[in-house]
Amino acid sequence: MILTGAFASLALGLALAVLARTFSGHVAGVGSWALACVLGGVGSILIGLRTIVPDFASFVLGVGGVLLAHALQYDGVRRFVGLPPREALVLGIGLAGVAALAVAWAVGDTFYVRIAAFTVLGGAFLALAAWTLLAPARAERLPFAPLTGWALALCAVVALGRGAGMLAAGPAPAGGLSSSPLALAFVAVYVPATIVATVGFTLMVQDRLRAEMARLATLDPLTGVFNRRAFIDLAERELARGEREGAPASVLMLDVDHFKSINDRFGHAAGDAVLRGFAQATRDCLRRADILARYGGEEFCVLLPGTALEEALAVAERIRRAVADAPVEHGGQRVAYSISAGLADTPTCGRDLDRLLTFADRALYAAKDAGRDRVCTPREARSPLAEALAPRPTGA
């Protein structure tokens, strides 16, 4: 069973290594767990072949590999849930355990060191990993975390129980696990639980990747704000909610002035830097509830829930001033730029998103026609709506 579990661990480790390489940077901790599978698999093979391989390979490399695997599992879990990594401390303790195994093998006194390294240290790492995953706040929001956490907890319990049984039974021959009923029971529980824990972690990674890919599909890759499709979906939902609650909303259309000239003068890389800087400056002026998207090219749009015309005008002016005060640094050059903005609000234009976008776009072009670097409202746009909203002369 040890060898079967070892080869299963190696296969799962290879699968996780492929995921770690393919989706590098998207899910933390995968590389640590993949390496844990490899070290644990190789270590288990050496332990399983203890009657064939030299004692040093079985005792030091085999037991040491499994110990380091548990240390890496704990490190991988910490990284996955977003806790600060403690790689140096965790691996330092693990390597100290391996060094103690080597010294014990050299002097021929391995029994108590084997208990300390394999059961106490290894069990502690497993227990810490289980505790990290089973914390209520994480277990509720991370699918498959309970499965993985309880499997790790079972591994920790049987590892520590194995150590207590070894102490009660007294010294056994060096070189790995003995064939006593206690040892066989340990293997029968520990090996399947280890595989279940790795399968659970793999499912956690797959679930995180699905969520991350879905999130990335809604974002503009250059600026990190929502893309046009995501904006339309989110804005329509927000407008429907506002209609139910009787709350106003406003739409801003924002455009970088003379963007083609920026590209021609400073290069397209500088133009990209301007778009990123503009997106960040705009984001800094908005609330968490506001929806910012890159609508196309150098044009951005914002939905402001619960915001009427005058408040939206103040937000647009704040964005315009923030951009004017923060030129972009690129390639040792300062790239100053301005923006124009148009806005439309639901009390004036209704709650249909296409209609809001149309009138905000017309107001944007009115701002450009008026000289750029300014904000215009629907009243200032050349449209039938603007004519309807214009003040009518009184008297004869």
Side-chain angles (χ1 to χ4, degrees):
M1 180 175 281
I2 292 179
L3 294 179
T4 301
F7 287 117
S9 178
L10 289 173
L12 290 169
L14 178 62
L16 286 171
V18 171
L19 286 175
R21 183 175 179 83
T22 305
F23 300 99
S24 176
H26 291 295
V27 182
V30 183
S32 294
W33 199 291
L35 183 56
C37 288
V38 172
L39 287 177
V42 172
S44 296
I45 289 172
L46 292 175
I47 293 173
L49 298 177
R50 63 190 179 279
T51 59
I52 301 174
V53 301
D55 285 348
F56 179 84
S58 174
F59 177 67
V60 178
L61 301 182
V63 176
V66 173
L67 172 61
L68 287 176
H70 295 327
L72 285 166
Q73 285 174 319
Y74 175 49
D75 178 68
V77 165
R78 286 187 62 86
R79 292 172 183 269
F80 184 87
V81 302
L83 293 175
R86 294 179 179 173
E87 186 178 40
L89 175 62
V90 171
L91 291 183
I93 295 172
L95 289 171
V98 176
L101 287 169
V103 172
W105 174 82
V107 300
D109 184 10
T110 64
F111 178 67
Y112 292 104
V113 174
R114 187 160 75 246
I115 293 175
F118 186 70
T119 64
V120 177
L121 274 182
F125 284 132
L126 289 166
L128 287 170
W131 177 262
T132 302
L133 286 176
L134 294 175
R138 298 190 189 100
E140 291 176 3
R141 64 181 174 84
L142 292 176
F144 305 108
L147 171 66
T148 309
W150 285 115
L152 289 169
L154 181 58
C155 289
V157 169
V158 297
L160 294 171
R162 166 67 171 155
M166 289 173 66
L167 284 175
L177 296 172
S178 69
S179 58
S180 67
L182 178 64
L184 294 176
F186 164 74
V187 172
V189 177
Y190 172 85
V191 172
T194 301
I195 296 173
V196 170
T198 301
V199 170
F201 185 79
T202 304
L203 292 172
M204 289 168 58
V205 171
Q206 290 178 335
D207 184 79
R208 176 74 60 83
L209 283 173
R210 279 194 297 269
E212 181 68 6
M213 293 304 105
R215 186 187 72 85
L216 290 175
T218 68
L219 300 181
D220 170 59
L222 177 64
T223 61
V225 302
F226 288 118
N227 57 30
R228 181 172 181 163
R229 184 176 67 178
F231 174 81
I232 291 172
D233 181 51
L234 293 170
E236 286 182 340
R237 283 192 238 166
E238 188 59 44
L239 288 170
R241 186 185 67 82
E243 184 173 17
R244 291 192 302 270
E245 298 176 359
S250 295
V251 169
L252 307 181
M253 296 295 289
L254 310 162
D255 190 85
V256 178
D257 295 330
H258 302 295
F259 185 68
K260 184 178 183 301
S261 298
I262 293 173
N263 279 333
D264 292 342
R265 180 181 177 186
F266 298 101
H268 288 279
D272 289 347
V274 165
L275 293 179
R276 286 192 295 268
F278 174 39
Q280 185 58 54
T282 303
R283 188 187 289 116
D284 291 342
C285 294
L286 299 176
R287 305 163 300 179
R288 291 180 65 89
D290 300 331
I291 303 169
L292 168 64
R294 185 181 178 190
Y295 204 66
E298 67 272 21
E299 194 170 58
F300 291 71
C301 56
V302 183
L303 179 74
L304 304 171
T307 306
L309 184 66
E310 292 303 319
E311 296 171 278
L313 184 60
V315 173
E317 283 290 351
R318 187 161 64 244
I319 295 170
R320 188 188 64 79
R321 289 194 300 270
V323 165
D325 294 340
V328 171
E329 299 283 346
H330 180 78
Q333 295 179 302
R334 288 169 60 87
V335 184
Y337 66 101
S338 64
I339 65 164
S340 298
L343 60 89
D345 64 315
T346 54
T348 303
C349 304
R351 292 189 177 276
D352 180 74
L353 180 60
D354 288 339
R355 182 178 173 85
L356 285 165
L357 290 170
T358 296
F359 286 110
D361 194 55
R362 289 176 180 174
L364 169 63
Y365 278 91
K368 288 187 174 294
D369 290 343
R372 295 181 169 84
D373 191 20
R374 66 193 65 223
V375 181
C376 283
T377 69
R379 293 179 182 275
E380 300 162 276
R382 295 175 182 173
S383 68
L385 176 66
E387 296 175 7
L389 294 173
R392 297 183 182 277
T394 59

